[in-house]
Amino acid sequence: MTEELLPPEFYARDTLTVARDLLGAHLCRGDVVLRVTEVEAYCPGDSANHCYRGRTNRNAPMFGPPGHAYVFLCYGLHHLLNLVTMEDGVGTAVLIRACEPVAGHETVAARRNGITGPRQLTGPGKVGAALGLDLSWNDHPLYVPGGLEVRRGTPVEAVLSGPRVGIDYAEPDDRAAPWRLAAAGTRWVSRRRELSGPAVVAG
DNA sequence: ACAAGGATCCTCT
DNA sequence: GAGGATCCTTGTT
């Protein structure tokens, strides 16, 4: 039996809550299924958020309806996947930083240049590569069957947290905010030394 | 029209 | 641990 697609209402909530609840969810495209193990929340009024300085052509999908993808190209070569949260017009999202493979192992390995083990999928650019994403997936609705889908998956036992990665341009309070969340008890997480917890136990 | 820099990864050492 | 790859978005002339 196929797992339930997460509906738009799932995303139309507080971004940190959505981020925590996305841990354990499944990203599905074709034969590939990835279980989300690490995320970052980009919140309202957050100087690390691409939307902090208002709407531009690039961040427009983040200002759109919840449950759509926001894909952007980082350093000219990595496609990073975000899931838009909160109400239409707010401009918040959750970045997917790491996953563990559930199905489609051969496809993932091929897209990752034959790499297997945790280095295969721990890092946001690697997740985009494993799913075969490019900018054409920008604004794609993730609750519609047949394309890129997010399904319920299996919950995580406990959550680690720490500061977000690669946001030196942000203001000090936002740099320090513990808005990177990861599943405890798995090796499929990037930069684990910078995380602490378990601080939150899933109910 | 141009220059700068980025929510990174890989290949070395 | 250091450096290069690589191209789009953005703000400025």
Side-chain angles (χ1 to χ4, degrees):
Chain A
M1 151 173 172
T2 311
E3 293 166 344
E4 173 191 355
L5 283 159
L6 295 179
E9 301 79 51
F10 173 89
Y11 303 92
R13 299 179 293 153
D14 169 75
T15 302
L16 276 172
T17 303
V18 175
R20 184 197 63 202
D21 290 351
L22 277 170
L23 292 173
H26 285 174
L27 305 178
C28 311
R29 183 188 171 199
D31 61 319
V32 172
V33 179
L34 307 181
R35 180 171 182 255
V36 177
T37 53
E38 181 183 341
V39 298
E40 282 178 358
Y42 288 86
C43 300
D46 169 10
S47 61
N49 187 331
H50 282 178
C51 294
Y52 183 59
R53 299 193 182 276
R55 185 183 187 120
T56 64
N57 210 27
R58 174 172 77 150
N59 66 22
M62 278 184 76
F63 284 104
H68 286 223
Y70 167 51
V71 178
F72 73 95
L73 186 61
C74 186
Y75 293 99
L77 57 164
H78 304 296
H79 290 93
L80 272 54
L81 172 63
N82 300 256
L83 315 185
V84 176
T85 61
M86 301 191 71
E87 296 79 13
D88 196 333
V90 177
T92 56
V94 174
L95 170 70
I96 307 298
R97 277 196 59 88
C99 294
E100 64 182 342
V102 173
H105 295 86
E106 290 182 7
T107 303
V108 173
R111 288 178 178 156
R112 290 286 299 116
N113 200 24
I115 297 170
T116 58
R119 299 181 77 115
Q120 183 184 55
L121 278 173
T122 52
K126 301 174 185 180
V127 173
L131 291 168
L133 298 185
D134 57 40
L135 292 178
S136 69
W137 289 93
N138 221 341
D139 207 28
H140 184 84
L142 301 164
Y143 45 83
V144 175
L148 178 63
E149 310 165 344
V150 183
R151 295 182 179 273
R152 186 158 299 286
T154 58
V156 298
E157 292 183 8
V159 178
L160 308 176
S161 66
R164 293 169 292 176
V165 175
I167 56 165
D168 290 349
Y169 57 85
E171 291 168 15
D173 286 356
D174 295 324
R175 274 189 283 170
W179 292 345
R180 180 158 73 105
L181 305 179
T186 174
R187 297 184 59 216
W188 297 82
V189 167
S190 73
R191 304 175 68 143
R192 235 182 166 196
R193 293 170 304 183
E194 300 161 29
L195 295 167
S196 59
V200 181
V201 177

